[in-house]
């Protein structure tokens, strides 16, 4: 794949590439933007190091890809509601995002992508893993693909953001609202066709997928458990070691991710903008 304005260096065989030769704080030319967009589609998650962005510049980069989401449960920054501060203080026990998930799949129109910017990183640990859901689908047997074709799954925030859910646990520097019993559920296809690449990807995740549409939770559990285990196998993943001022942009339509919680006693401060997407088909 030829890129005219940037250098693209894959970090694993499955997905992920570091982008060099671009300063995201500057106005990007259309040619550079097109190269970044293509790298994003080609590699599913892309990384930039040593970026020095203001809040406005962070949002402006996100807006090149679409409108920005204001999270329904996590309060955004004062004056910048589109920016979510993801902070684990030294005394916090549970991190945010510490399980495999696809951001915002509980919405009727889930997120296109998330752009996470590292403000303060621990001296060790705190890596993030991503899993390629194109590969998860493509490695299924023909029989399993036929079984999943046409199936829909129910996605909701009511488990993950409930009183017992990991995302709703108290954290010193984050303001999270808990999801009530009236929290909506939405049905999305289990096999999703990517609106830009046309490729098929598995689209279920353990944080927000409750059951198959028209099935009971008990009936759904064995097949969902198989898919959850299958779609995050090591050969489908990459792992990123954060450095201060690094930025990651991932495609929630074709990836899941997992933030490791292995730096107790140290502070980690990230800031995220999320680009709105469209209804899966």
């Amino acid at each position: 794949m030829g890129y005219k304005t940037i250098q693209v260096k894959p970090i694993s065989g499955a997905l992920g590439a570091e982008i060099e030769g671009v300063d995201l704080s500057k106005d990007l030319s259309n040619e550079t933007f097109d190269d970044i967009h293509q790298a994003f589609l080609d590699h599913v998650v892309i990384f930039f190091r040593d970026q020095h962005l203001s809040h406005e510049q962070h949002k402006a980069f996100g807006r090149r890809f679409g409108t920005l989401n204001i999270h329904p449960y996590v309060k955004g920054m004062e004056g910048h509601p589109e920016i979510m501060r993801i902070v684990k203080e030294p005394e916090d026990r549970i991190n945010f995002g510490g399980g495999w998930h696809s951001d915002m799949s509980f919405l009727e129109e889930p997120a296109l992508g998330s752009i996470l910017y590292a403000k303060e990183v621990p001296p060790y640990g705190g890596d993030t893993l991503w899993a390629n859901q194109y590969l998860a689908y493509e490695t299924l047997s023909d029989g399993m693909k036929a079984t999943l074709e046409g199936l829909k799954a129910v996605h909701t925030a009511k488990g993950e953001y409930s009183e017992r859910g990991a995302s709703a646990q108290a954290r010193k520097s984050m303001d999270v609202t808990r999801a009530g019993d009236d929290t909506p559920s939405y049905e999305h296809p289990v096999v999703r066709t990517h609106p830009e690449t046309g490729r098929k990807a598995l689209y279920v995740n353990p944080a927000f997928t409750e059951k198959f549409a028209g099935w009971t939770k008990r009936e759904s559990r064995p097949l969902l458990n198989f898919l959850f285990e299958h779609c995050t196998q090591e050969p489908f993943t990459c792992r990123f070691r954060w450095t201060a001022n690094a930025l990651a942009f991932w495609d929630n339509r074709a990836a899941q991710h997992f933030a490791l919680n292995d730096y107790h006693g140290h502070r980690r401060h990230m800031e995220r903008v999320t680009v709105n997407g469209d209804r899966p088909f």
Side-chain angles (χ1 to χ4, degrees):
M1 288 152 226
Y3 305 98
K4 297 194 183 87
T5 65
I6 56 175
Q7 291 88 54
V8 179
K9 298 183 175 177
I11 68 165
S12 84
L15 78 169
E18 287 204 30
I19 309 293
E20 295 177 355
V22 64
D23 180 351
L24 298 177
S25 71
K26 304 274 195 291
D27 286 337
L28 300 176
S29 69
N30 288 338
E31 191 174 36
T32 301
F33 172 76
D34 289 345
D35 274 351
I36 291 171
H37 188 201
Q38 192 58 52
F40 171 71
L41 296 177
D42 293 341
H43 295 281
V44 186
V45 55
I46 54 177
F47 307 101
F48 306 80
R49 294 201 190 266
D50 300 317
Q51 300 294 320
H52 298 275
L53 302 181
S54 68
H55 298 319
E56 291 301 340
Q57 289 163 341
H58 189 181
K59 291 191 292 186
F61 179 59
R63 286 196 177 107
R64 291 293 293 262
F65 295 89
T67 59
L68 300 185
N69 177 268
I70 295 176
H71 200 283
Y73 301 110
V74 184
K75 193 174 189 319
M77 283 183 66
E78 201 65 47
H80 301 280
E82 309 92 342
I83 299 180
M84 180 200 293
R85 293 174 80 247
I86 300 172
V87 180
K88 182 172 185 275
E89 298 290 0
E91 61 269 35
D92 288 338
R93 299 304 297 169
I94 298 176
N95 70 334
F96 187 82
W100 285 107
H101 64 288
S102 175
D103 288 333
M104 323 294 284
S105 79
F106 56 79
L107 295 180
E108 187 171 13
E109 295 186 343
L112 177 156
S114 302
I115 304 172
L116 189 63
Y117 183 41
K119 302 288 281 186
E120 185 180 341
V121 297
Y124 57 81
D127 294 2
T128 305
L129 291 87
W130 283 266
N132 185 330
Q133 300 307 286
Y134 294 136
L135 291 179
Y137 173 73
E138 289 161 5
T139 51
L140 293 170
S141 68
D142 290 343
M144 181 56 81
K145 288 176 184 171
T147 299
L148 299 180
E149 198 62 47
L151 263 188
K152 291 190 170 183
V154 176
H155 293 246
T156 181
K158 69 174 85 158
E160 185 66 20
Y161 282 93
S162 71
E163 197 174 330
R164 294 184 305 281
S167 291
Q169 296 310 301
R171 294 174 185 83
K172 187 176 176 186
S173 298
M174 294 181 70
D175 184 354
V176 179
T177 303
R178 288 180 175 159
D181 294 338
D182 56 349
T183 303
S185 301
Y186 296 103
E187 295 179 6
H188 299 313
V190 173
V191 178
R192 174 175 192 174
T193 302
H194 194 288
E196 295 185 83
T197 65
R199 294 175 70 187
K200 289 183 174 182
L202 262 185
Y203 196 65
V204 293
N205 69 87
F208 304 125
T209 307
E210 189 176 57
K211 61 177 186 170
F212 296 110
W215 297 30
T216 66
K217 287 184 186 176
R218 182 169 172 239
E219 290 166 341
S220 303
R221 190 54 48 203
L223 181 50
L224 277 181
N225 281 345
F226 164 77
L227 294 175
F228 294 157
E229 194 177 329
H230 168 76
C231 65
T232 57
Q233 289 181 80
E234 287 87 346
F236 306 155
T237 65
C238 72
R239 177 171 177 154
F240 186 65
R241 174 84 184 99
W242 289 96
T243 48
N245 302 308
L247 183 137
F249 178 27
W250 64 91
D251 192 334
N252 280 301
R253 304 165 296 186
Q256 290 188 49
H257 62 286
F258 186 126
L260 287 172
N261 186 23
D262 57 350
Y263 51 96
H264 293 304
H266 298 286
R267 189 173 195 270
R268 184 177 183 268
H269 171 190
M270 318 291 277
E271 292 179 356
R272 185 180 105 188
V273 303
T274 302
V275 183
N276 288 317
D278 50 14
R279 183 142 203 180
F281 63 91

